[in-house]
Amino acid sequence: MPDQPPRGVALITGATAGLGAAFAARLAAERWDLTLVARDAERLSASAAELRARHGVRVSVLPADLATESGTAAVEDRLRDATEPVELLVNNAGIGLNKAFHGSTLDDELRILRLNVEAVMRLTFAVLPQMTERRSGGVINVSSVSGYGVTAPGSTYTATKAYVINFSESIAQSVRRYGVRVLALCPGFVRTEFHQRAGIPTAGSPGWIWLDAGTVAAKALADLRKGRYVSVPSVRYKIAASALRHTPHGLVRRFSEAGNRFVGRGAR
């Protein structure tokens, strides 16, 4: 309700669409004030206005391209601002490439590394000192169930998501003693703009593989509050993650080379 005090400030990257928008809507409904980060200033302003009108929370916007040095630095500065500390960071921004490494360009490969890996590391690094000092706070890093195995031959997307999983689990263990929680969110296929932007076709894919973005965001927040290090929404993707982790690599390679659609390259 509007008369309830805010729970703190949450900063969300990639906040205007898909999982980012779902996190923003969920957190605003829970009475969080928000800082929304994305490249498109116009979409940011529209999203912020809608959230303010619907939930009565404060929403600020920060247009930034996290694949650039200036964009990442701007968000780092906001996270280090002690006058309005960020209590929850959601590193959601990310991209995929619908091309094999040998057919890609160096610029595209550097962009996916900067956005999916470097920005996640740098923003987490920027926010943790204040969180550990005040002994509260949380970070959600959006990875993918595909980070558990080489599910797309020739693609570096799964490698970037493997980094996010391992990075998040490691940092979570080191900051837990300070009352700070870090979570890797590992969904599968989520109905967002991600696949369209990456040029990944989804026509003909079975309906049962898709997850709802709002449900995924709610599950991630619940798992963060429980102190879990990893959140894999839905039983079917828990099974997929377990299979990727424990199946001999030779068999995983055979399935991936055959284009196994269940854990294919479009998994978010």
Side-chain angles (χ1 to χ4, degrees):
M1 297 298 292
D3 58 346
Q4 293 178 327
R7 300 180 64 169
V9 177
L11 186 147
I12 306 163
T13 68
T16 57
L19 272 177
F23 272 111
R26 181 77 184 190
L27 290 166
E30 294 181 1
R31 300 296 301 153
W32 286 80
D33 290 333
L34 304 175
T35 297
L36 307 181
V37 178
R39 290 184 298 167
D40 191 326
E42 186 174 342
R43 289 186 72 176
L44 274 175
S45 296
S47 297
E50 181 181 353
L51 291 166
R52 291 188 200 104
R54 179 172 297 181
H55 301 288
V57 295
R58 292 188 304 139
V59 185
S60 60
V61 299
L62 178 51
D65 183 352
L66 294 175
T68 67
E69 174 60 32
S70 60
T72 302
V75 182
E76 286 176 314
D77 289 343
R78 172 62 189 89
L79 291 169
R80 294 188 178 114
D81 183 0
T83 62
E84 193 175 19
V86 171
E87 184 71 17
L88 174 64
L89 168 63
V90 181
N91 276 314
N92 167 72
I95 58 172
L97 297 174
N98 188 29
K99 60 181 75 173
F101 182 75
H102 64 274
S104 185
T105 66
L106 182 58
D107 284 345
D108 282 345
E109 294 300 329
L110 288 173
R111 181 172 179 81
I112 195 172
L113 281 174
R114 287 173 182 145
L115 188 55
N116 292 14
V117 174
E118 183 181 331
V120 171
M121 181 273 292
R122 287 177 58 173
L123 300 189
T124 302
F125 188 82
V127 81
L128 282 181
Q130 286 193 44
M131 289 184 174
T132 55
E133 183 177 355
R134 67 174 180 266
R135 295 186 174 269
S136 70
V139 178
I140 295 176
N141 293 324
V142 177
S143 181
S144 168
V145 71
S146 67
Y148 283 114
V150 183
T151 60
S155 170
T156 54
Y157 174 79
T158 56
T160 68
K161 294 305 182 179
Y163 170 88
V164 174
I165 295 171
N166 283 274
F167 169 75
S168 301
E169 287 195 77
S170 176
I171 303 307
Q173 294 177 52
S174 68
V175 300
R176 188 182 185 95
R177 72 188 73 175
Y178 300 104
V180 179
R181 296 175 178 178
V182 178
L183 175 84
L185 171 59
C186 301
F189 288 87
V190 184
R191 291 202 179 278
T192 69
E193 297 177 7
F194 174 82
H195 303 92
Q196 180 182 357
R197 290 180 174 180
I200 299 170
T202 59
S205 57
W208 58 267
I209 70 171
W210 294 99
L211 302 175
D212 172 72
T215 302
V216 172
K219 182 69 165 62
L221 291 168
D223 284 344
L224 180 73
R225 290 161 186 156
K226 292 175 183 176
R228 293 177 176 165
Y229 294 168
V230 177
S231 176
V232 182
S234 89
V235 172
R236 56 189 177 275
Y237 283 112
K238 289 182 190 295
I239 294 171
S242 179
L244 285 169
R245 294 177 73 178
H246 301 297
T247 300
H249 287 181
L251 286 178
V252 173
R253 284 197 298 270
R254 290 183 186 178
F255 280 119
S256 66
E257 288 167 1
N260 188 325
R261 292 295 300 276
F262 184 67
V263 290
R265 62 184 170 185
R268 179 65 173 85

